[in-house]
Short mmCIF file of all heavy atoms in Angstrom, two decimals:
data_model
loop_
_atom_site.label_atom_id
_atom_site.label_comp_id
_atom_site.label_asym_id
_atom_site.label_seq_id
_atom_site.Cartn_x
_atom_site.Cartn_y
_atom_site.Cartn_z
N GLY O 249 2.97 -0.28 -3.91
CA GLY O 249 2.01 -0.73 -4.91
C GLY O 249 0.63 -0.18 -4.60
O GLY O 249 0.45 0.67 -3.73
N ASN O 250 -0.35 -0.69 -5.32
CA ASN O 250 -1.73 -0.25 -5.17
C ASN O 250 -2.67 -1.45 -5.23
O ASN O 250 -2.32 -2.50 -5.78
CB ASN O 250 -2.10 0.69 -6.32
CG ASN O 250 -1.53 2.09 -6.13
OD1 ASN O 250 -1.78 2.75 -5.14
ND2 ASN O 250 -0.72 2.52 -7.10
N VAL O 251 -3.88 -1.26 -4.70
CA VAL O 251 -4.89 -2.31 -4.80
C VAL O 251 -5.30 -2.48 -6.27
O VAL O 251 -5.40 -3.59 -6.78
CB VAL O 251 -6.14 -1.98 -3.94
CG1 VAL O 251 -7.23 -3.01 -4.14
CG2 VAL O 251 -5.77 -1.87 -2.47
N VAL O 252 -5.52 -1.36 -6.94
CA VAL O 252 -5.94 -1.39 -8.35
C VAL O 252 -4.77 -0.85 -9.20
O VAL O 252 -4.18 0.18 -8.87
CB VAL O 252 -7.22 -0.54 -8.53
CG1 VAL O 252 -7.53 -0.30 -10.01
CG2 VAL O 252 -8.40 -1.24 -7.86
N LYS O 253 -4.44 -1.57 -10.25
CA LYS O 253 -3.22 -1.26 -11.00
C LYS O 253 -3.42 -0.30 -12.17
O LYS O 253 -2.44 0.15 -12.77
CB LYS O 253 -2.59 -2.55 -11.56
CG LYS O 253 -2.49 -3.71 -10.57
CD LYS O 253 -1.66 -3.41 -9.35
CE LYS O 253 -1.39 -4.66 -8.55
NZ LYS O 253 -0.94 -4.36 -7.18
N CYS O 254 -4.65 -0.07 -12.57
CA CYS O 254 -4.92 0.84 -13.70
C CYS O 254 -5.76 2.02 -13.21
O CYS O 254 -6.62 1.87 -12.34
CB CYS O 254 -5.67 0.12 -14.82
SG CYS O 254 -4.71 -1.21 -15.57
N ARG O 255 -5.52 3.18 -13.80
CA ARG O 255 -6.18 4.40 -13.33
C ARG O 255 -7.69 4.39 -13.60
O ARG O 255 -8.11 4.23 -14.76
CB ARG O 255 -5.59 5.61 -14.03
CG ARG O 255 -6.18 6.91 -13.53
CD ARG O 255 -5.79 8.08 -14.40
NE ARG O 255 -6.27 9.31 -13.80
CZ ARG O 255 -6.50 10.43 -14.47
NH1 ARG O 255 -6.27 10.47 -15.76
NH2 ARG O 255 -6.94 11.50 -13.85
N PRO O 256 -8.50 4.60 -12.57
CA PRO O 256 -9.93 4.81 -12.83
C PRO O 256 -10.12 6.19 -13.47
O PRO O 256 -9.50 7.15 -13.01
CB PRO O 256 -10.56 4.76 -11.43
CG PRO O 256 -9.53 4.10 -10.54
CD PRO O 256 -8.21 4.50 -11.13
N PRO O 257 -10.92 6.30 -14.53
CA PRO O 257 -11.05 7.57 -15.25
C PRO O 257 -11.41 8.72 -14.30
O PRO O 257 -12.25 8.55 -13.42
CB PRO O 257 -12.20 7.31 -16.23
CG PRO O 257 -12.35 5.83 -16.32
CD PRO O 257 -11.78 5.24 -15.06
N GLY O 258 -10.73 9.83 -14.49
CA GLY O 258 -11.03 11.02 -13.69
C GLY O 258 -10.72 10.85 -12.21
O GLY O 258 -11.23 11.59 -11.37
N ASN O 259 -9.92 9.85 -11.87
CA ASN O 259 -9.57 9.57 -10.46
C ASN O 259 -10.76 9.22 -9.58
O ASN O 259 -10.73 9.47 -8.37
CB ASN O 259 -8.83 10.75 -9.81
CG ASN O 259 -7.43 10.90 -10.35
OD1 ASN O 259 -7.01 10.14 -11.22
ND2 ASN O 259 -6.71 11.87 -9.84
N ARG O 260 -11.81 8.68 -10.17
CA ARG O 260 -12.94 8.26 -9.33
C ARG O 260 -12.49 7.09 -8.46
O ARG O 260 -11.47 6.46 -8.72
CB ARG O 260 -14.13 7.88 -10.20
CG ARG O 260 -13.90 6.68 -11.10
CD ARG O 260 -15.22 6.02 -11.49
NE ARG O 260 -15.07 5.05 -12.58
CZ ARG O 260 -14.56 3.85 -12.46
NH1 ARG O 260 -14.08 3.44 -11.27
NH2 ARG O 260 -14.46 3.03 -13.49
N ASP O 261 -13.29 6.80 -7.42
CA ASP O 261 -13.00 5.63 -6.57
C ASP O 261 -13.09 4.38 -7.42
O ASP O 261 -13.95 4.27 -8.31
CB ASP O 261 -14.06 5.51 -5.45
CG ASP O 261 -13.83 6.52 -4.35
OD1 ASP O 261 -12.77 7.17 -4.33
OD2 ASP O 261 -14.73 6.67 -3.49
N PRO O 262 -12.21 3.39 -7.15
CA PRO O 262 -12.36 2.13 -7.88
C PRO O 262 -13.67 1.44 -7.52
O PRO O 262 -14.14 1.53 -6.37
CB PRO O 262 -11.15 1.30 -7.41
CG PRO O 262 -10.56 2.00 -6.25
CD PRO O 262 -11.08 3.40 -6.23
N LEU O 263 -14.29 0.77 -8.50
CA LEU O 263 -15.56 0.07 -8.27
C LEU O 263 -15.28 -1.29 -7.62
O LEU O 263 -14.21 -1.87 -7.83
CB LEU O 263 -16.28 -0.17 -9.60
CG LEU O 263 -16.59 1.08 -10.43
CD1 LEU O 263 -17.17 0.69 -11.79
CD2 LEU O 263 -17.56 1.98 -9.66
N PRO O 264 -16.26 -1.82 -6.87
CA PRO O 264 -16.06 -3.13 -6.23
C PRO O 264 -15.61 -4.20 -7.22
O PRO O 264 -14.72 -4.99 -6.91
CB PRO O 264 -17.44 -3.45 -5.65
CG PRO O 264 -18.06 -2.12 -5.40
CD PRO O 264 -17.54 -1.21 -6.49
N MET O 265 -16.16 -4.20 -8.45
CA MET O 265 -15.76 -5.26 -9.40
C MET O 265 -14.31 -5.06 -9.89
O MET O 265 -13.59 -6.02 -10.16
CB MET O 265 -16.74 -5.41 -10.57
CG MET O 265 -16.77 -4.36 -11.63
SD MET O 265 -15.44 -4.44 -12.88
CE MET O 265 -15.77 -5.99 -13.67
N GLU O 266 -13.87 -3.81 -9.95
CA GLU O 266 -12.49 -3.53 -10.35
C GLU O 266 -11.52 -3.99 -9.25
O GLU O 266 -10.48 -4.59 -9.53
CB GLU O 266 -12.30 -2.03 -10.64
CG GLU O 266 -13.06 -1.58 -11.88
CD GLU O 266 -13.33 -0.08 -11.94
OE1 GLU O 266 -12.98 0.66 -10.98
OE2 GLU O 266 -13.91 0.37 -12.95
N ILE O 267 -11.91 -3.74 -8.02
CA ILE O 267 -11.07 -4.16 -6.88
C ILE O 267 -11.00 -5.68 -6.84
O ILE O 267 -9.92 -6.26 -6.68
CB ILE O 267 -11.65 -3.60 -5.55
CG1 ILE O 267 -11.54 -2.08 -5.55
CG2 ILE O 267 -10.96 -4.22 -4.35
CD1 ILE O 267 -12.19 -1.41 -4.36
N GLU O 268 -12.14 -6.32 -7.03
CA GLU O 268 -12.17 -7.78 -6.98
C GLU O 268 -11.34 -8.39 -8.11
O GLU O 268 -10.57 -9.34 -7.91
CB GLU O 268 -13.62 -8.27 -7.07
CG GLU O 268 -13.77 -9.70 -6.62
CD GLU O 268 -15.19 -10.18 -6.82
OE1 GLU O 268 -16.13 -9.37 -6.62
OE2 GLU O 268 -15.36 -11.35 -7.18
N ALA O 269 -11.46 -7.81 -9.29
CA ALA O 269 -10.71 -8.34 -10.45
C ALA O 269 -9.21 -8.14 -10.27
O ALA O 269 -8.42 -8.98 -10.69
CB ALA O 269 -11.19 -7.63 -11.72
N CYS O 270 -8.82 -7.04 -9.63
CA CYS O 270 -7.40 -6.70 -9.55
C CYS O 270 -6.70 -7.28 -8.32
O CYS O 270 -5.47 -7.45 -8.32
CB CYS O 270 -7.26 -5.17 -9.56
SG CYS O 270 -5.74 -4.58 -10.31
N SER O 271 -7.45 -7.59 -7.27
CA SER O 271 -6.85 -8.03 -6.00
C SER O 271 -5.91 -9.23 -6.11
O SER O 271 -4.93 -9.30 -5.37
CB SER O 271 -7.93 -8.33 -4.97
OG SER O 271 -8.53 -7.14 -4.56
N PRO O 272 -6.19 -10.21 -6.98
CA PRO O 272 -5.26 -11.34 -7.07
C PRO O 272 -3.83 -10.93 -7.39
O PRO O 272 -2.88 -11.56 -6.91
CB PRO O 272 -5.86 -12.20 -8.20
CG PRO O 272 -7.32 -11.89 -8.17
CD PRO O 272 -7.40 -10.44 -7.80
N TRP O 273 -3.64 -9.84 -8.14
CA TRP O 273 -2.27 -9.38 -8.43
C TRP O 273 -1.59 -8.93 -7.14
O TRP O 273 -0.43 -9.24 -6.89
CB TRP O 273 -2.26 -8.23 -9.45
CG TRP O 273 -2.88 -8.56 -10.78
CD1 TRP O 273 -3.86 -7.84 -11.41
CD2 TRP O 273 -2.59 -9.67 -11.64
NE1 TRP O 273 -4.19 -8.43 -12.60
CE2 TRP O 273 -3.43 -9.56 -12.76
CE3 TRP O 273 -1.71 -10.75 -11.55
CZ2 TRP O 273 -3.41 -10.49 -13.81
CZ3 TRP O 273 -1.70 -11.68 -12.59
CH2 TRP O 273 -2.53 -11.53 -13.70
N LEU O 274 -2.32 -8.19 -6.32
CA LEU O 274 -1.76 -7.73 -5.05
C LEU O 274 -1.44 -8.92 -4.14
O LEU O 274 -0.39 -8.97 -3.50
CB LEU O 274 -2.75 -6.77 -4.36
CG LEU O 274 -2.34 -6.25 -2.98
CD1 LEU O 274 -1.03 -5.47 -3.05
CD2 LEU O 274 -3.45 -5.37 -2.39
N ASP O 275 -2.35 -9.89 -4.13
CA ASP O 275 -2.11 -11.09 -3.30
C ASP O 275 -0.84 -11.80 -3.76
O ASP O 275 -0.05 -12.28 -2.94
CB ASP O 275 -3.31 -12.04 -3.38
CG ASP O 275 -4.54 -11.44 -2.69
OD1 ASP O 275 -4.37 -10.60 -1.79
OD2 ASP O 275 -5.67 -11.83 -3.05
N MET O 276 -0.64 -11.88 -5.08
CA MET O 276 0.57 -12.54 -5.60
C MET O 276 1.82 -11.75 -5.22
O MET O 276 2.83 -12.33 -4.80
CB MET O 276 0.50 -12.68 -7.13
CG MET O 276 -0.49 -13.73 -7.58
SD MET O 276 -0.79 -13.64 -9.37
CE MET O 276 0.67 -14.45 -9.97
N GLN O 277 1.76 -10.44 -5.33
CA GLN O 277 2.92 -9.61 -4.95
C GLN O 277 3.22 -9.78 -3.46
O GLN O 277 4.38 -9.91 -3.06
CB GLN O 277 2.64 -8.13 -5.28
CG GLN O 277 2.56 -7.86 -6.77
CD GLN O 277 2.08 -6.46 -7.09
OE1 GLN O 277 1.17 -5.92 -6.43
NE2 GLN O 277 2.65 -5.84 -8.12
N PHE O 278 2.17 -9.79 -2.67
CA PHE O 278 2.33 -9.96 -1.22
C PHE O 278 3.00 -11.31 -0.90
O PHE O 278 3.88 -11.39 -0.05
CB PHE O 278 0.94 -9.85 -0.57
CG PHE O 278 0.93 -10.13 0.90
CD1 PHE O 278 1.40 -9.20 1.81
CD2 PHE O 278 0.44 -11.33 1.38
CE1 PHE O 278 1.40 -9.46 3.17
CE2 PHE O 278 0.42 -11.61 2.74
CZ PHE O 278 0.90 -10.67 3.64
N GLN O 279 2.59 -12.34 -1.62
CA GLN O 279 3.19 -13.67 -1.40
C GLN O 279 4.67 -13.70 -1.73
O GLN O 279 5.47 -14.30 -1.03
CB GLN O 279 2.49 -14.70 -2.29
CG GLN O 279 1.44 -15.50 -1.57
CD GLN O 279 0.79 -16.50 -2.52
OE1 GLN O 279 1.45 -17.09 -3.36
NE2 GLN O 279 -0.51 -16.65 -2.39
N VAL O 280 5.03 -13.05 -2.84
CA VAL O 280 6.44 -13.02 -3.25
C VAL O 280 7.27 -12.23 -2.23
O VAL O 280 8.33 -12.68 -1.79
CB VAL O 280 6.60 -12.37 -4.66
CG1 VAL O 280 8.07 -12.13 -4.99
CG2 VAL O 280 5.95 -13.24 -5.72
N ILE O 281 6.78 -11.08 -1.84
CA ILE O 281 7.56 -10.19 -0.97
C ILE O 281 7.55 -10.69 0.48
O ILE O 281 8.56 -10.63 1.18
CB ILE O 281 7.01 -8.73 -1.05
CG1 ILE O 281 7.14 -8.22 -2.48
CG2 ILE O 281 7.73 -7.81 -0.08
CD1 ILE O 281 6.31 -6.98 -2.77
N SER O 282 6.43 -11.19 0.91
CA SER O 282 6.24 -11.64 2.30
C SER O 282 6.91 -10.65 3.28
O SER O 282 7.85 -11.00 4.00
CB SER O 282 6.81 -13.05 2.48
OG SER O 282 6.39 -13.54 3.73
N PRO O 283 6.41 -9.41 3.30
CA PRO O 283 7.07 -8.37 4.09
C PRO O 283 6.88 -8.60 5.59
O PRO O 283 6.02 -9.39 5.99
CB PRO O 283 6.33 -7.10 3.66
CG PRO O 283 4.97 -7.59 3.28
CD PRO O 283 5.16 -8.94 2.67
N ILE O 284 7.66 -7.88 6.39
CA ILE O 284 7.44 -7.93 7.84
C ILE O 284 6.30 -6.98 8.21
O ILE O 284 5.52 -7.24 9.12
CB ILE O 284 8.74 -7.54 8.59
CG1 ILE O 284 9.82 -8.60 8.29
CG2 ILE O 284 8.51 -7.44 10.09
CD1 ILE O 284 11.18 -8.26 8.83
N VAL O 285 6.21 -5.88 7.47
CA VAL O 285 5.18 -4.88 7.77
C VAL O 285 4.45 -4.49 6.48
O VAL O 285 5.09 -4.22 5.46
CB VAL O 285 5.82 -3.59 8.36
CG1 VAL O 285 4.75 -2.55 8.67
CG2 VAL O 285 6.64 -3.91 9.61
N VAL O 286 3.12 -4.46 6.55
CA VAL O 286 2.32 -3.90 5.45
C VAL O 286 1.72 -2.59 5.94
O VAL O 286 1.06 -2.56 6.99
CB VAL O 286 1.17 -4.84 5.04
CG1 VAL O 286 0.24 -4.14 4.05
CG2 VAL O 286 1.71 -6.10 4.40
N VAL O 287 1.97 -1.52 5.21
CA VAL O 287 1.37 -0.23 5.52
C VAL O 287 0.27 0.02 4.49
O VAL O 287 0.56 0.07 3.29
CB VAL O 287 2.41 0.91 5.45
CG1 VAL O 287 1.75 2.27 5.71
CG2 VAL O 287 3.54 0.68 6.44
N THR O 288 -0.96 0.13 4.96
CA THR O 288 -2.04 0.43 4.02
C THR O 288 -2.23 1.95 3.98
O THR O 288 -2.19 2.62 5.01
CB THR O 288 -3.36 -0.27 4.41
OG1 THR O 288 -3.77 0.17 5.71
CG2 THR O 288 -3.19 -1.77 4.43
N LEU O 289 -2.40 2.47 2.76
CA LEU O 289 -2.57 3.91 2.58
C LEU O 289 -4.00 4.15 2.11
O LEU O 289 -4.33 3.90 0.95
CB LEU O 289 -1.57 4.43 1.54
CG LEU O 289 -0.09 4.16 1.86
CD1 LEU O 289 0.80 4.46 0.66
CD2 LEU O 289 0.36 4.98 3.07
N GLY O 290 -4.85 4.56 3.04
CA GLY O 290 -6.24 4.83 2.68
C GLY O 290 -7.14 3.65 2.93
O GLY O 290 -6.70 2.54 3.21
N ARG O 291 -8.44 3.91 2.77
CA ARG O 291 -9.42 2.91 3.23
C ARG O 291 -9.57 1.71 2.31
O ARG O 291 -9.84 0.60 2.76
CB ARG O 291 -10.78 3.56 3.52
CG ARG O 291 -11.44 4.17 2.33
CD ARG O 291 -12.44 5.24 2.73
NE ARG O 291 -12.64 6.11 1.60
CZ ARG O 291 -13.62 5.97 0.72
NH1 ARG O 291 -14.50 5.02 0.84
NH2 ARG O 291 -13.72 6.79 -0.31
N PHE O 292 -9.36 1.87 1.00
CA PHE O 292 -9.53 0.72 0.10
C PHE O 292 -8.49 -0.35 0.38
O PHE O 292 -8.78 -1.54 0.41
CB PHE O 292 -9.46 1.16 -1.37
CG PHE O 292 -10.66 1.94 -1.80
CD1 PHE O 292 -10.63 3.32 -1.83
CD2 PHE O 292 -11.83 1.29 -2.17
CE1 PHE O 292 -11.75 4.05 -2.19
CE2 PHE O 292 -12.95 2.01 -2.55
CZ PHE O 292 -12.91 3.40 -2.56
N SER O 293 -7.28 0.12 0.60
CA SER O 293 -6.19 -0.81 0.89
C SER O 293 -6.40 -1.44 2.28
O SER O 293 -6.22 -2.65 2.46
CB SER O 293 -4.89 -0.01 0.82
OG SER O 293 -3.84 -0.73 1.32
N MET O 294 -6.80 -0.63 3.25
CA MET O 294 -7.07 -1.16 4.60
C MET O 294 -8.15 -2.25 4.53
O MET O 294 -8.00 -3.31 5.13
CB MET O 294 -7.51 -0.02 5.51
CG MET O 294 -7.75 -0.45 6.94
SD MET O 294 -8.27 0.94 7.97
CE MET O 294 -9.93 1.19 7.38
N ARG O 295 -9.22 -1.97 3.79
CA ARG O 295 -10.32 -2.95 3.65
C ARG O 295 -9.81 -4.27 3.08
O ARG O 295 -10.19 -5.35 3.54
CB ARG O 295 -11.38 -2.42 2.68
CG ARG O 295 -12.59 -1.75 3.22
CD ARG O 295 -13.42 -2.55 4.16
NE ARG O 295 -13.41 -1.93 5.49
CZ ARG O 295 -14.06 -0.83 5.82
NH1 ARG O 295 -14.86 -0.25 4.98
NH2 ARG O 295 -13.95 -0.31 7.03
N HIS O 296 -8.95 -4.17 2.07
CA HIS O 296 -8.43 -5.37 1.42
C HIS O 296 -7.76 -6.28 2.46
O HIS O 296 -8.02 -7.48 2.51
CB HIS O 296 -7.42 -4.99 0.33
CG HIS O 296 -6.72 -6.17 -0.28
ND1 HIS O 296 -7.24 -6.85 -1.37
CD2 HIS O 296 -5.58 -6.82 0.05
CE1 HIS O 296 -6.43 -7.86 -1.67
NE2 HIS O 296 -5.42 -7.87 -0.82
N PHE O 297 -6.92 -5.70 3.30
CA PHE O 297 -6.18 -6.53 4.27
C PHE O 297 -7.07 -6.92 5.46
O PHE O 297 -6.89 -8.01 6.02
CB PHE O 297 -4.88 -5.83 4.69
CG PHE O 297 -3.85 -5.86 3.59
CD1 PHE O 297 -3.72 -4.81 2.70
CD2 PHE O 297 -3.05 -6.97 3.41
CE1 PHE O 297 -2.80 -4.85 1.66
CE2 PHE O 297 -2.12 -7.03 2.37
CZ PHE O 297 -2.00 -5.96 1.50
N GLN O 298 -8.01 -6.06 5.82
CA GLN O 298 -8.97 -6.47 6.86
C GLN O 298 -9.74 -7.70 6.40
O GLN O 298 -9.96 -8.64 7.17
CB GLN O 298 -9.96 -5.33 7.18
CG GLN O 298 -9.35 -4.20 7.99
CD GLN O 298 -10.29 -3.00 8.12
OE1 GLN O 298 -11.20 -2.81 7.30
NE2 GLN O 298 -10.07 -2.19 9.15
N ASP O 299 -10.14 -7.70 5.14
CA ASP O 299 -10.87 -8.86 4.57
C ASP O 299 -9.97 -10.09 4.56
O ASP O 299 -10.38 -11.17 4.97
CB ASP O 299 -11.30 -8.59 3.13
CG ASP O 299 -12.49 -7.66 3.06
OD1 ASP O 299 -13.05 -7.35 4.12
OD2 ASP O 299 -12.84 -7.23 1.94
N ARG O 300 -8.75 -9.91 4.05
CA ARG O 300 -7.84 -11.06 3.91
C ARG O 300 -7.58 -11.75 5.25
O ARG O 300 -7.48 -12.96 5.34
CB ARG O 300 -6.48 -10.62 3.34
CG ARG O 300 -6.48 -10.40 1.86
CD ARG O 300 -6.68 -11.71 1.09
NE ARG O 300 -6.87 -11.45 -0.33
CZ ARG O 300 -8.02 -11.12 -0.90
NH1 ARG O 300 -9.12 -11.02 -0.18
NH2 ARG O 300 -8.11 -10.90 -2.20
N PHE O 301 -7.44 -10.92 6.31
CA PHE O 301 -7.07 -11.49 7.61
C PHE O 301 -8.26 -11.52 8.57
O PHE O 301 -8.08 -11.66 9.78
CB PHE O 301 -5.86 -10.74 8.19
CG PHE O 301 -4.64 -10.88 7.33
CD1 PHE O 301 -4.07 -9.79 6.71
CD2 PHE O 301 -4.09 -12.14 7.10
CE1 PHE O 301 -2.96 -9.93 5.89
CE2 PHE O 301 -2.99 -12.30 6.27
CZ PHE O 301 -2.42 -11.20 5.67
N GLN O 302 -9.44 -11.37 8.03
CA GLN O 302 -10.68 -11.45 8.80
C GLN O 302 -10.63 -10.58 10.06
O GLN O 302 -10.92 -11.03 11.17
CB GLN O 302 -10.97 -12.92 9.15
CG GLN O 302 -11.29 -13.69 7.88
CD GLN O 302 -11.26 -15.19 8.07
OE1 GLN O 302 -10.98 -15.69 9.15
NE2 GLN O 302 -11.55 -15.91 7.02
N LEU O 303 -10.22 -9.35 9.86
CA LEU O 303 -10.17 -8.40 10.98
C LEU O 303 -11.46 -7.60 11.02
O LEU O 303 -12.17 -7.49 10.01
CB LEU O 303 -8.99 -7.43 10.78
CG LEU O 303 -7.61 -8.06 10.64
CD1 LEU O 303 -6.58 -6.99 10.28
CD2 LEU O 303 -7.20 -8.77 11.93
N ALA O 304 -11.73 -7.00 12.18
CA ALA O 304 -12.91 -6.12 12.30
C ALA O 304 -12.75 -4.97 11.30
O ALA O 304 -11.64 -4.50 11.06
CB ALA O 304 -12.98 -5.57 13.71
N GLN O 305 -13.89 -4.54 10.73
CA GLN O 305 -13.85 -3.48 9.71
C GLN O 305 -13.84 -2.11 10.39
O GLN O 305 -14.74 -1.30 10.17
CB GLN O 305 -15.06 -3.62 8.79
CG GLN O 305 -15.17 -4.97 8.12
CD GLN O 305 -14.91 -4.89 6.63
OE1 GLN O 305 -15.45 -4.05 5.95
NE2 GLN O 305 -14.06 -5.77 6.14
N ASP O 306 -12.83 -1.88 11.23
CA ASP O 306 -12.74 -0.59 11.92
C ASP O 306 -12.47 0.52 10.92
O ASP O 306 -11.87 0.30 9.88
CB ASP O 306 -11.60 -0.64 12.95
CG ASP O 306 -11.95 -1.53 14.13
OD1 ASP O 306 -13.12 -1.55 14.53
OD2 ASP O 306 -11.05 -2.21 14.64
N SER O 307 -12.90 1.73 11.28
CA SER O 307 -12.69 2.84 10.35
C SER O 307 -11.28 3.39 10.52
O SER O 307 -10.65 3.25 11.57
CB SER O 307 -13.71 3.95 10.62
OG SER O 307 -13.39 4.54 11.86
N ILE O 308 -10.80 4.02 9.46
CA ILE O 308 -9.43 4.55 9.45
C ILE O 308 -9.25 5.60 10.56
O ILE O 308 -8.18 5.68 11.17
CB ILE O 308 -9.07 5.12 8.04
CG1 ILE O 308 -7.62 5.54 7.94
CG2 ILE O 308 -9.97 6.24 7.62
CD1 ILE O 308 -6.65 4.43 7.75
N SER O 309 -10.30 6.37 10.85
CA SER O 309 -10.15 7.41 11.89
C SER O 309 -9.93 6.78 13.26
O SER O 309 -9.37 7.39 14.16
CB SER O 309 -11.38 8.34 11.92
OG SER O 309 -12.53 7.58 12.14
N LYS O 310 -10.34 5.52 13.42
CA LYS O 310 -10.15 4.84 14.70
C LYS O 310 -8.78 4.14 14.79
O LYS O 310 -8.14 4.16 15.84
CB LYS O 310 -11.28 3.81 14.86
CG LYS O 310 -11.34 3.18 16.23
CD LYS O 310 -12.58 2.33 16.41
CE LYS O 310 -12.37 1.33 17.54
NZ LYS O 310 -13.25 0.17 17.40
N VAL O 311 -8.35 3.53 13.70
CA VAL O 311 -7.18 2.64 13.79
C VAL O 311 -5.89 3.20 13.15
O VAL O 311 -4.86 2.54 13.21
CB VAL O 311 -7.48 1.25 13.19
CG1 VAL O 311 -8.54 0.54 13.99
CG2 VAL O 311 -7.88 1.34 11.72
N HIS O 312 -5.98 4.42 12.58
CA HIS O 312 -4.79 4.93 11.86
C HIS O 312 -3.54 4.93 12.77
O HIS O 312 -3.62 5.29 13.95
CB HIS O 312 -5.05 6.33 11.32
CG HIS O 312 -5.25 7.37 12.38
ND1 HIS O 312 -4.22 8.16 12.85
CD2 HIS O 312 -6.35 7.73 13.08
CE1 HIS O 312 -4.68 8.97 13.78
NE2 HIS O 312 -5.96 8.72 13.95
N GLY O 313 -2.45 4.47 12.18
CA GLY O 313 -1.17 4.49 12.89
C GLY O 313 -0.97 3.38 13.90
O GLY O 313 0.09 3.29 14.52
N ARG O 314 -1.98 2.53 14.07
CA ARG O 314 -1.89 1.51 15.12
C ARG O 314 -1.51 0.14 14.54
O ARG O 314 -2.30 -0.47 13.80
CB ARG O 314 -3.27 1.40 15.80
CG ARG O 314 -3.18 0.92 17.24
CD ARG O 314 -4.54 0.58 17.78
NE ARG O 314 -5.44 1.72 17.92
CZ ARG O 314 -6.75 1.57 18.10
NH1 ARG O 314 -7.31 0.39 18.11
NH2 ARG O 314 -7.50 2.64 18.25
N PRO O 315 -0.31 -0.37 14.85
CA PRO O 315 0.11 -1.66 14.30
C PRO O 315 -0.71 -2.81 14.89
O PRO O 315 -0.97 -2.85 16.09
CB PRO O 315 1.56 -1.80 14.74
CG PRO O 315 2.01 -0.44 15.15
CD PRO O 315 0.77 0.25 15.65
#
Side-chain angles (χ1 to χ4, degrees):
N250 283 303
V251 175
V252 168
K253 314 300 191 197
C254 296
R255 183 191 186 204
N259 289 0
R260 64 157 168 75
D261 284 349
L263 302 174
M265 72 79 64
E266 292 159 357
I267 294 174
E268 197 184 323
C270 210
S271 289
W273 301 128
L274 177 60
D275 292 335
M276 287 169 79
Q277 292 172 320
F278 174 76
Q279 261 180 38
V280 171
I281 299 164
S282 191
I284 296 173
V285 180
V286 172
V287 177
T288 60
L289 303 169
R291 63 203 159 94
F292 289 98
S293 169
M294 182 180 73
R295 263 302 115 74
H296 174 88
F297 287 94
Q298 286 172 337
D299 284 352
R300 281 293 171 277
F301 297 116
Q302 293 166 359
L303 303 173
Q305 304 249 312
D306 289 325
S307 69
I308 186 78
S309 58
K310 189 172 159 204
V311 295
H312 66 94
R314 208 191 293 165

